Amino acid sequence: MIGNALDSLQKISSAKKILFITHTTSIYGAARSLEILLRNLEGDHHLLIPRSSLKQDSDLQKISERFNIPENRIHVRSLPFRVCFIAEKAPWRRRLKRSWQNWRWRKTEIENFSVWLKEENFSTVHLNSLALIDLVATKPDFILHVRERWTSRNSAMEGQIKKAKALVFIDSSTKESLAHLSGPKTITLSNPVEISLPAESEILRMRNELLKEPASKLILFSMIGRLDFPNKGVDFVLEQFKKLENPQARLLIFGKGTPENFSDAKQIAGKDSRIRFLGELADQNKIYACSDVILRGENSFAVGRTVLEGLAAGCRVIMPKKSSPLSEEDVPPAHLPQLDFYQARDADSFLNTLRKNASFQRMSPNPVKTGQEYAQNFLDFVNDSL
């Protein structure tokens, strides 16, 4: 692992007993944000993960190390998963898995879960995603982290959201999507970032090794995320990148998916040798060190982790444009010059933006560590909300 930025930081201490519930233990996205938060917190905190996160016996130890929570305070249960924010239809295997999760939750877990919460007497419970919205009914003082743009107008689900004690938004777009609701206290906390890259000479060595070719004159476009999430727009990005007339450009796809996902994506890529599928890479710093431009292919504006991490690493970031002006809740003002926008899912707009940035090479940044400040702001909000 390159540059563990958290080892020497003083952690934020909390006297409260908080239960953090996550719908995933993926190394990217929401779980990565929760990992940085917990690695910067001290206290009698507990972590509840879905049963599906444990594939083998050693997984619990790995999760304990990642999230800075002792194994005896990590709990495993079947959890509900509410699809309330994905605009495009998920693959049938995931839909079947979620149906099974929700059935098992209703039949075997919900009553025991409520009793367990009372016995443990947590100060509060933090839900790491809207996907866990059905848990709100079991306890009235949940803190709900809204990492997704609310695209539904389901009154029953909105009633669940209103029961939360407080809402934490990650940017202005997630906040605006629920602006019509009133009740819970709210705050907008941009995702925490911990980026520390090695020396430029080491970065060049890593790039050469990763691409298996001399990389000093190449322009590396990277896309980070699961191939089995249609909303990520991997197919859209592949189709347009193939039209880019630049032999020095490379497209690196980081993320996991099913064999069918990779087969379909490689079929779209065809014989374009500039496109590389690199799978899931645990070392986030290495991904950004081996990138010049970060691509986002969603069907709407969203400031995800890869936007903030890419900017912190000195990369240019290409993403769908927002209908209203950006605010400081979205992106730190100092990073605005690194952003470029296109009209979401507009092929010509995206391709023109690629061409504009086809000679950009990553700048050399200073290490960025916002985890400690984030943990303090989060804890202050929790204390103020209870």
Side-chain angles (χ1 to χ4, degrees):
M1 185 72 70
I2 301 170
N4 189 339
L6 297 171
D7 290 343
S8 61
L9 289 180
Q10 181 179 356
K11 294 182 175 63
I12 306 301
S13 181
S14 168
K16 297 192 180 301
K17 180 183 178 183
I18 304 174
L19 172 65
F20 293 88
I21 306 181
T22 181
H23 63 302
T24 175
T25 56
S26 164
I27 61 175
Y28 301 145
R32 170 68 174 161
S33 292
L34 181 61
E35 173 189 341
I36 293 176
L37 170 62
L38 292 178
R39 288 181 65 83
N40 281 279
L41 281 180
E42 278 186 334
D44 183 24
H45 306 310
H46 291 237
L47 177 65
L48 175 56
I49 62 175
R51 198 176 303 278
S52 57
S53 294
L54 298 183
K55 307 297 184 186
Q56 50 192 1
D57 293 342
S58 61
D59 285 350
L60 193 61
Q61 180 183 349
K62 294 176 183 176
I63 290 171
S64 172
E65 293 170 355
R66 270 188 61 201
F67 290 91
N68 189 40
I69 299 287
E71 287 186 44
N72 63 354
R73 285 196 257 129
I74 298 178
H75 312 278
V76 183
R77 287 179 177 269
S78 296
L79 296 173
F81 190 105
R82 173 74 72 166
V83 182
C84 55
F85 52 86
I86 298 176
E88 296 171 278
K89 198 171 184 180
W92 69 268
R93 283 189 177 87
R94 185 176 301 115
R95 299 200 305 274
L96 182 63
K97 177 182 176 181
R98 288 170 180 166
S99 295
W100 166 249
Q101 282 180 255
N102 292 333
W103 180 88
R104 186 164 183 171
W105 161 255
R106 292 192 301 271
K107 294 295 183 181
T108 67
E109 292 282 359
I110 188 167
E111 186 174 341
N112 292 336
F113 179 75
S114 298
V115 172
W116 176 71
L117 282 183
K118 292 179 181 178
E119 291 174 346
E120 289 289 341
N121 195 30
F122 296 107
S123 302
T124 192
V125 179
H126 171 264
L127 304 180
N128 204 37
S129 167
L130 275 176
L132 297 167
I133 186 64
D134 288 339
L135 290 172
V136 171
T138 64
K139 186 177 174 67
D141 58 350
F142 274 44
I143 292 176
L144 178 59
H145 218 117
V146 183
R147 304 183 185 277
E148 308 84 3
R149 289 179 65 253
W150 178 255
T151 58
S152 173
R153 282 295 180 267
N154 184 306
S155 58
M157 285 191 280
E158 290 188 347
Q160 294 285 72
I161 294 174
K162 291 177 70 173
K163 290 178 183 177
K165 185 74 172 180
L167 304 177
V168 181
F169 298 101
I170 64 166
D171 62 12
S172 64
S173 67
T174 54
K175 183 178 180 179
E176 289 164 4
S177 71
L178 285 170
H180 59 287
L181 292 188
S182 60
K185 291 177 69 69
T186 67
I187 191 174
T188 302
L189 293 178
S190 186
N191 281 318
V193 173
E194 303 285 359
I195 292 290
S196 182
L197 302 187
E200 291 299 319
S201 58
E202 173 63 11
I203 288 176
L204 180 58
R205 186 198 65 77
M206 289 165 47
R207 289 182 170 212
N208 292 340
E209 183 179 88
L210 187 68
L211 274 74
K212 296 180 172 57
E213 63 175 318
S216 61
K217 296 182 180 180
L218 300 179
I219 307 300
L220 308 185
F221 292 86
S222 293
M223 191 171 186
I224 306 165
R226 294 177 57 157
L227 274 71
D228 53 350
F229 279 17
N231 197 43
K232 296 293 184 183
V234 174
D235 293 358
F236 170 78
V237 170
L238 287 170
E239 290 280 11
Q240 307 321 312
F241 181 85
K242 288 169 60 180
K243 302 173 187 175
L244 181 64
E245 312 89 348
N246 187 334
Q248 301 302 108
R250 299 290 183 270
L251 175 59
L252 313 181
I253 306 291
F254 295 97
K256 65 181 181 180
T258 65
E260 292 86 350
N261 296 143
F262 280 101
S263 176
D264 292 345
K266 288 177 180 178
Q267 187 170 355
I268 295 173
K271 296 181 180 180
D272 194 330
S273 61
R274 300 174 302 165
I275 300 173
R276 313 290 173 84
F277 296 91
L278 299 172
E280 195 171 55
L281 192 61
D283 192 337
Q284 307 284 299
N285 289 310
K286 186 173 183 179
I287 291 176
Y288 294 106
C290 293
S291 305
D292 294 305
V293 182
I294 301 298
L295 303 178
R296 299 278 296 199
E298 286 89 349
N299 58 4
S300 62
F301 172 86
V303 182
R305 287 203 56 80
T306 54
V307 171
L308 298 175
E309 289 176 332
L311 294 174
C315 302
R316 180 67 55 84
V317 175
I318 295 177
M319 61 187 296
K321 66 174 58 175
K322 188 182 180 185
S323 56
S324 57
L326 287 178
S327 72
E328 291 188 21
E329 292 180 338
D330 297 319
V331 174
H335 289 308
L336 289 177
Q338 295 168 244
L339 288 169
D340 210 342
F341 301 95
Y342 66 95
Q343 194 66 43
R345 296 297 169 86
D346 183 301
D348 290 338
S349 177
F350 182 74
L351 182 56
N352 287 336
T353 310
L354 283 183
R355 287 170 175 153
K356 276 173 57 182
N357 291 280
S359 61
F360 179 88
Q361 289 192 308
R362 186 188 54 78
M363 301 179 292
S364 298
N366 295 318
V368 176
K369 309 179 184 75
T370 66
Q372 190 175 27
E373 179 184 2
Y374 179 89
Q376 185 65 68
N377 290 337
F378 175 85
L379 198 57
D380 288 346
F381 178 66
V382 169
N383 291 335
D384 187 50
S385 300
L386 298 181

